[in-house]
Amino acid sequence: MTEAALKADSLVKQLHAAFCRDVDRQDLLRIAAKGITDAGPPYTSVYMYMLDRSGKNLVLEAFEGRETEHTVIPVGRGLCGRAVRLAQNLNIPDVAAEASYLACNLETKSELIVLIRRHDEILGQIDVDSDVPNGFTTVEESAVKEIADALAALL
Ligand code: SME
């Protein structure tokens, strides 16, 4: 079976076009989340968590896919909070093997977290859940990073 790959370049163009039409921040985040999930497996659900003013909490500002109860995640908590604390992207092949994993459903098998950074500042993150075990390779990591870097310039 051939899976549709995420066309990061084309999604970045779409984000730039939306920015020029003056769409607001939440819409930019929504367009990014939808564009990623539209690519299909391994991208099951996409959550856009942004740091609040205090820099202590990640707040869910937009998502596409399954709903989550985790709308606010303190830095340091869960995999999302770990990525910010370590200032590092995370590619987790098996979420069940992670003691600190915050589950929002039983279908998710792997997770990719890519930080949205402007120079040294972390603005937030793109959190991708996958129903596919070990769903993400460096190809997906680079594609999602392209989207994160575009957002860092536009938000
Ligand atoms: N799994 C994340 C929480 C976010 S939900 O997956 C949308 C974590 O462990 O931080």
Side-chain angles (χ1 to χ4, degrees), residues 62-82:
F63 76 98
E64 187 71 29
R66 295 194 189 105
E67 288 199 21
T68 177
E69 68 195 66
H70 304 294
T71 53
V72 178
I73 302 176
V75 169
R77 212 169 158 241
L79 301 176
C80 292
R82 188 200 297 172

Side-chain angles (χ1 to χ4, degrees), residues 7 18 24 28 34 46 51-52 58 72 74 88 94 98 116 121-122 125 134 146 148:
K7 307 253 187 323
D24 65 21
L28 281 175
K34 182 167 188 327
V46 174
L51 276 175
D52 67 6
L58 287 160
V72 178
Q88 227 174 259
D94 176 10
E98 299 291 324
I116 301 172
E121 188 191 1
I122 296 172
Q125 62 184 223
N134 195 6
E146 265 193 66

Side-chain angles (χ1 to χ4, degrees), residues 31-151:
I31 291 167
K34 182 167 188 327
I36 296 171
T37 53
D38 279 353
Y43 308 97
T44 305
S45 299
V46 174
Y47 307 89
M48 313 301 281
Y49 285 104
M50 304 303 290
L51 276 175
D52 67 6
R53 276 172 185 277
S54 74
K56 291 183 179 157
N57 295 295
L58 287 160
V59 178
L60 183 64
E61 292 197 19
F63 76 98
E64 187 71 29
R66 295 194 189 105
E67 288 199 21
T68 177
E69 68 195 66
H70 304 294
T71 53
V72 178
I73 302 176
V75 169
R77 212 169 158 241
L79 301 176
C80 292
R82 188 200 297 172
V84 175
R85 166 122 334 139
L86 299 177
Q88 227 174 259
N89 298 338
L90 295 178
N91 184 350
I92 308 290
D94 176 10
V95 291
E98 299 291 324
S100 61
Y101 172 62
L102 299 174
C104 54
N105 59 73
L106 296 174
E107 284 79 20
T108 301
K109 300 291 186 289
S110 58
E111 185 161 348
L112 174 66
I113 298 167
V114 176
L115 296 172
I116 301 172
R117 295 171 187 257
R118 191 182 292 147
H119 309 294
D120 286 341
E121 188 191 1
I122 296 172
L123 305 182
Q125 62 184 223
I126 302 179
D127 171 32
V128 191
D129 279 6
S130 181
D131 289 358
V132 181
N134 195 6
F136 304 105
T137 68
T138 51
V139 172
E140 285 79 26
E141 283 179 31
S142 310
V144 176
K145 186 172 181 301
E146 265 193 66
I147 312 302
D149 290 347
L151 285 172

